[in-house]
Structures are given as structure tokens and as C-alpha cells.
Amino acid sequence: MSTAVTPQPSRALALHAQHVVVAALVATFLLLNTVPSRTQPNVAANGMVASPEPLATDVGVAILKAGGNAFDAAAAVQFALAVTYPTAGNIGGGGFMVGLTAEGEAFALDFREEAPGAAHADMFVDANGEMVPNLSTDTHAGVGVPGSVDGMLTLLDRYGTLPRAEVLAPAVALARDGFPMSYALAGSLQRNERIRNFASSAAAFGLEGDGPRMGDLLRQPDLAATLEAISTEGRDGFYAGRTADLIVADMRANGGLITHDDLKSYAAEWREPLVFGHDRYEFITHPVPSSGGMTIAQTLAVMNMQVLKRAGYHSAKAVSMVTEAQRLAFADRNFWLGDPDYFNVPVDRLLSRDYMEQRRRLLPQDGLAGRSEGVSHGPAESDETTHFTVADRAGNVAAITTTLNSGYGLGAVATGAGFLWNNEMDNFSARPGVPNQYGLLGAEANAIQPGKRPLSSMTPTIVRAFGDFYLTMGSPGGPTIINTVLQIYLNVTVWGMDLQQAIDAPRIHHQWRPDRIDHEPFALSAETKAELTRMGYALHERQRIGMAAGIRKTPEGFFAGYADRRGAGTARGY
Ligand code: DON
């Protein structure tokens, strides 16, 4: 890992003629070491932004340079991503944040979407109790009341330092003036079938004919007007007034449920972060209705790090150990977890020493694969999301995972308001025992109720060591998010990888059901696969698991940032 050095071209130019060549080489070397590189985590002293889209990363860095803190920059990146990264960046969706302030205060902010007031438990099943295909994913009935705008404004109110208009200005400009589409964005818009089904989306993204090409200017005037309203009026620019009228009209015209009352009553919630220790590290994660922190805590609690280390990286024994721990944790996740405002989630019990000991006894002892049929939740005692992260010199850290649920959400742009709708209602369990689009099975804890927030796998995470910020990361990928965050942590702390290696390393995933190990290409050697198969595991190759972004503190106190090779994102600092 190298540190950023500021090149000093003026001094180089003053050198004697015979030194010019050497000076040029030195200048090139210095320049290469300050330009963000794909082969080395970018390192900087003053602040760092890692996001899935370079223009949004630049927005975050500009806000930091203008004197904003990590929270100002994070909100600016969220709004910018709604313009430049429509597959997951949003103002029509929701998310979770965990933060750490310069004073050492940890917090969690829940801006997850909410079920509209008219929603009900069997809204996605027919008279026979069968799921109606695609109702929750491909129609306006699947849209939850969006939380991102209230979330970011709530964040700015409490922790921001810059005026709201300054934080929103870059997003407004990107939407109004447009930006040249990258290869990644143009390709993604060309390939996506679902957005083509909606005239509002075809108009917003220029999908007529052959569709957009790399370099075409994408202007989004309706979105610019909505962002401008938020900039001048605050939450009323979105949840009331003209934007609210457009939203409700769009819902009425398309069979959606959201009303003016739903919009008025939406409020992001401050939650007590889920903080737990592991070895010498301390995790700061989001509590339910995010399931990520709980599931990671349970997974780690039944694993033995010494045995894992001795087994060797991605050996059959190590993969089996992680898999069996994941199987147990996901069985509990799918039964016990849901919105704590509506369901009494037994958090303390699920994380208690006694209970974890009980679960540990269920691990297979014979060196063979466990079976998900044999593993259930413990008894009762009585293609898209995105993650970005910002750290600043003062010591503030922001980790945000945000989503429309599917890539481009519902696929529909809100007519006249220019933003894409989420299809988050699919994250509820519409019918116990029937999997949602991620193959997740759900239970009563996550049944649909008006005003309730659907269970999520989004896992923004900050790790402290000896009380100091050490690492932050998160990822998209539905349930694979949880295991992606877990593996990045293990890669750094058990396997000694640097941040880039830890994020780029091929991943594995098990979620109890379906009972199989998903793995990326090259994650497992031929020998390991053969051994796992002999042990009784079903293996399933997946092209991609997750797309993480993270920041790690270097021993010198600098910030090393990295955005996953699996995407086109960047980390930049200054
Ligand atoms: O909250 C959740 O768990 C899902 N809406 C996340 C969706 C997701 O990560 C899709 N990304 N690939």
C-alpha cells in the first residue's frame, strides 16, 4: 500500500537541463501514485469517498474539499447517485446508514421504505392463497413509501454542516445540465428489459430506437425539478406540494397504493446501532429491520477463528465451517427477523451466549455437510442495491447502503417527477414458505402490515479496533450482502489481506435455503470442489456475488479506499 504524495511540478521544472529526464520520470511516478489506480487502493490523508459511480465519488470529494464533513458528503453522494447511477442510486427508494462521529458516537439511521396504509398481508396472493406472479416486483402495487429523501435531510439536520442547497447543488446540476453516459450506464440501460415496459422510463432515459450509447448526454429535467424542490423546500419538496401531487397521480393511474397521507407520515428513524464485539474488533451495524448485523453476529459467534485459520483460506474445511455457521444464522434470520416496531424480535436472546451455545451444538461433527431440512430457527422462549462510504479527517465516517430493490427498481419513472420507483414490497414475505425474488423464505415476523418496513439484508458496517475507526464496508446483492461483508472482514482480519484484495477476492455464499454453496468463478480450486462434493455439499457457480465499497484506516492514519473490481466505481480522496 502506498501513500499519496503531492507532486511538485514547479520544483521539477526548475531543475537543471540534464535533470529534466529524471525529473519527468519522478513527476510521472508521483502522478501515477496520486491518480486513483485500479491496482492499488487509493490512499489519502484528508478524506475519502468510495462509491459505485465516479461522478458521484467526485461530488463527495468536492463537498469535503469545500469544508463539508463526511455526512454532508454522504448526503450529496446519495442525491448524485440518484442522477448518475439510476440502477440503484435513488430518491424513490430507501436504505440504511451507520455512522461514527469525530467524538466517537455511533448511530444508525433507518430510511427504509414503508408499506402504504392500504397495504395488507395477502395483497400479493390470489383467492386460493397462491402468489400472483410478478405483482410485487413488476407493478406499482409493489412500491413502498420512499425514505431516501427524508433520510438524507434528517441526517443533514442532525450532523450536517453545510446549507442544504449546497449539498444538493451538484445533483441538481448533473440532472439539469446532463452528463455523458459511461460505457457501464449506457450498456446497462440498453440491456434492461424492465425499464422498457414503462413509457415514462423510455422517455427519461432515451430508450427509443437502439437506445443510448456511451458518450450520449443524459439530461433529466423532471428529476432536476424534483431535486430543486427538495433543495429549496426541504422534505416538503418531496412529501408535499407539487411532487406529492405527481406521486399520488402516478399511483392512481397505475394501480399503486401511496396516498398523500402515506407521504406526510413517512419519517426516517434514528435507531440504536447494533454493536457487538468479535476478537479485538467491534462491529457497528444496523439493527432490524436490517438483518445483516444480526446474521453476521450469529455467524461469527458459532465459528472458531483458530480452527478456521488452521484450515487455510478457502480450503474445503474452511468453506464448510463458514457455510454451516451461515446455514444456522439464515434459518433464524428468515423466521425471527422483521420490523421491530411491528414484531417483537427477540434480539437479546438470539445473540445471547446461551442461545449461541445451543446453536453451536447443532453444527455437524462428522466432517460432512449439514442439511437445511434438519436445521430450523431456534425455538421461542416464552441485480440491485448500492453501497457507498465517506470518511473525513475529523474522524466522521458514513456508511450507506441504499436501494430500489431490483435493478432500476420497478423499472418505472414516476411520471412528471423524473425518479425511479422502488419495488421494495417484494422484500416482505407475501406468503410464508414461498420464496421472494432472492429465494428467501419468510415468516410472520416479516408479513405485510400498513406502515411496516420490510426486512432487509442491507448491511452498512463500521468496524472499530481498540476504540478507533478501523474499517468500513458494505455491498449490494440481496442476501449475499451479509456474507460479502462477513468475508471482507474475515479476509482482512483472519487472512491478512489489504482492502483491495479483501474486496476483490472471490466469494462464497450460503443462505440456509436453497441448500447449496454459491461461489464465484475461481473461488474454489478443483480439489476443494471435489472435497466439498464428497462431503455432501451442492455447489452452484454464480458470475458475481456483491459489489462492495470500503475504506480502511492505514497504520499512518490515512484512508485507503476501494470500490469493487466487479463494478465501475471509484474511490478517491484528497
Ligand atoms: O433490502 C434488501 O435486502 C434488498 N432490497 C436488497 C436488494 C439488492 O441488494 C439487490 N442488489 N443486487
Side-chain angles (χ1 to χ4, degrees):
M1 227 182 269
S2 81
T3 55
V5 186
T6 313
Q8 297 182 318
S10 54
R11 261 176 62 189
L13 288 177
L15 288 176
H16 193 269
Q18 73 236 45
H19 293 142
V20 164
V21 174
V22 177
L25 285 173
V26 170
T28 309
F29 173 79
L30 292 173
L31 193 66
L32 284 175
N33 277 282
T34 52
V35 167
S37 131
R38 298 298 300 174
T39 57
Q40 227 174 16
N42 191 27
V43 179
N46 294 313
M48 178 63 66
V49 181
S51 101
E53 200 287 315
L55 291 168
T57 297
D58 287 347
V59 165
V61 174
I63 292 283
L64 289 177
K65 284 185 176 168
N69 66 14
F71 308 122
D72 296 308
V77 172
Q78 169 87 30
F79 286 118
L81 286 170
V83 181
T84 62
Y85 193 70
T87 176
N90 69 82
I91 54 173
F96 297 111
M97 166 177 194
V98 292
L100 188 60
T101 69
E103 293 73 38
E105 179 205 355
F107 64 85
L109 180 61
D110 171 355
F111 56 101
R112 181 77 161 160
E113 299 92 326
E114 236 168 52
H120 53 93
D122 34 1
M123 62 187 280
F124 299 126
V125 298
D126 63 19
N128 302 321
E130 298 299 322
M131 285 282 293
V132 182
N134 308 331
L135 196 55
S136 59
T137 50
D138 294 354
T139 76
H140 285 68
V143 180
V145 184
S148 293
V149 173
D150 195 58
M152 291 304 103
L153 298 182
T154 301
L155 170 68
L156 289 174
D157 275 351
R158 187 175 286 188
Y159 293 109
T161 60
L162 295 181
R164 179 175 69 227
E166 202 171 326
V167 170
L168 272 129
V172 171
L174 283 162
R176 186 191 52 218
D177 306 337
F179 61 93
M181 273 185 268
S182 64
Y183 179 72
L185 176 58
S188 160
L189 286 169
Q190 276 166 18
R191 284 187 302 270
N192 193 287
E193 291 300 328
R194 300 174 66 246
I195 36 177
R196 276 164 209 281
N197 295 333
F198 296 96
S200 55
S201 306
F205 297 116
L207 303 179
E208 296 83 9
D210 292 343
R213 295 165 67 96
M214 178 172 81
D216 287 356
L217 198 66
L218 177 60
R219 281 210 188 95
Q220 301 172 81
D222 288 345
L223 179 57
T226 300
L227 289 165
E228 225 154 338
I230 299 166
S231 170
T232 51
E233 296 161 48
R235 65 161 276 137
D236 280 357
F238 188 83
Y239 296 94
R242 177 178 177 271
T243 311
D245 290 345
L246 287 168
I247 289 174
V248 172
D250 194 44
M251 287 288 139
R252 285 206 184 119
N254 293 292
L257 301 183
I258 298 174
T259 63
H260 278 105
D261 275 350
D262 292 327
L263 293 169
K264 203 156 73 191
S265 62
Y266 183 87
E269 287 189 49
W270 295 108
R271 294 196 188 269
E272 203 50 47
L274 177 68
V275 178
F276 59 91
H278 181 253
D279 278 359
R280 62 202 137 112
Y281 303 100
E282 182 187 49
F283 276 73
I284 301 164
T285 63
H286 202 288
V288 278
S290 163
S291 61
M294 291 283 295
T295 308
I296 290 178
Q298 285 199 331
T299 307
L300 287 171
V302 300
M303 283 176 21
N304 181 323
M305 292 301 125
Q306 297 312 318
V307 177
L308 181 72
K309 202 159 185 167
R310 276 200 300 277
Y313 178 71
H314 279 203
S315 64
K317 192 168 174 193
V319 170
S320 166
M321 209 178 142
V322 176
T323 298
E324 296 304 335
Q326 290 170 344
R327 186 198 308 280
L328 287 172
F330 271 84
D332 267 347
R333 174 205 184 276
N334 294 356
F335 186 82
W336 282 119
L337 306 192
D339 184 343
D341 297 346
Y342 287 76
F343 184 85
N344 191 5
V345 181
V347 172
D348 292 343
R349 172 174 154 68
L350 290 173
L351 297 179
S352 71
R353 215 174 270 277
D354 282 356
Y355 180 68
M356 284 291 92
E357 189 46 47
Q358 278 175 37
R359 298 296 273 174
R360 201 176 294 121
R361 279 190 234 119
L362 300 177
L363 292 170
Q365 302 299 324
D366 53 6
L368 297 177
R371 285 274 164 258
S372 290
E373 287 104 72
V375 170
S376 184
H377 54 85
E381 193 152 71
S382 25
D383 203 70
E384 293 287 333
T385 298
T386 194
H387 180 81
F388 62 93
T389 179
V390 183
D392 70 22
R393 181 173 40 186
N396 300 299
V397 182
I400 295 186
T401 311
T402 182
T403 191
L404 292 164
N405 192 32
S406 303
Y408 300 98
L410 165 61
V413 163
T415 309
F419 63 85
L420 279 157
W421 281 123
N422 69 79
N423 59 357
E424 215 71 59
M425 294 289 286
D426 185 64
N427 282 192
F428 280 114
S429 101
R431 206 188 134 204
V434 176
N436 71 3
Q437 65 167 308
Y438 301 105
L440 286 169
L441 296 174
E444 196 52 37
N446 192 31
I448 304 176
Q449 281 175 266
K452 190 171 173 183
R453 300 182 184 197
L455 184 64
S456 170
S457 299
M458 292 188 281
T459 315
T461 298
I462 297 172
V463 179
R464 280 200 281 212
F466 305 109
D468 260 355
F469 167 58
Y470 177 71
L471 175 68
T472 177
M473 69 282 194
S475 176
T480 68
I481 294 172
I482 301 171
N483 293 331
T484 293
V485 169
L486 172 76
Q487 281 166 90
I488 294 170
Y489 167 74
L490 294 176
N491 287 346
V492 170
T493 61
V494 175
W495 306 116
M497 297 185 194
D498 70 24
L499 182 66
Q500 176 181 352
Q501 290 172 318
I503 287 178
D504 282 349
R507 301 188 182 114
I508 57 170
H509 169 75
H510 193 290
Q511 61 178 50
W512 176 54
R513 296 216 163 123
D515 189 353
R516 64 177 198 216
I517 298 174
D518 289 350
H519 64 89
E520 289 186 310
F522 316 117
L524 306 170
S525 69
E527 289 77 15
T528 302
K529 282 191 211 165
E531 177 64 6
L532 287 167
T533 307
R534 192 195 61 74
M535 292 162 82
Y537 289 102
L539 301 177
H540 174 77
E541 183 169 301
R542 276 169 80 154
Q543 211 44 43
R544 198 183 83 187
I545 296 179
M547 202 170 93
I551 298 175
R552 182 180 176 182
K553 193 112 161 248
T554 70
E556 303 84 356
F558 299 140
F559 300 110
Y562 190 65
D564 209 314
R565 69 175 162 85
R566 295 164 181 83
T570 49
R572 279 185 196 139
Y574 82 105

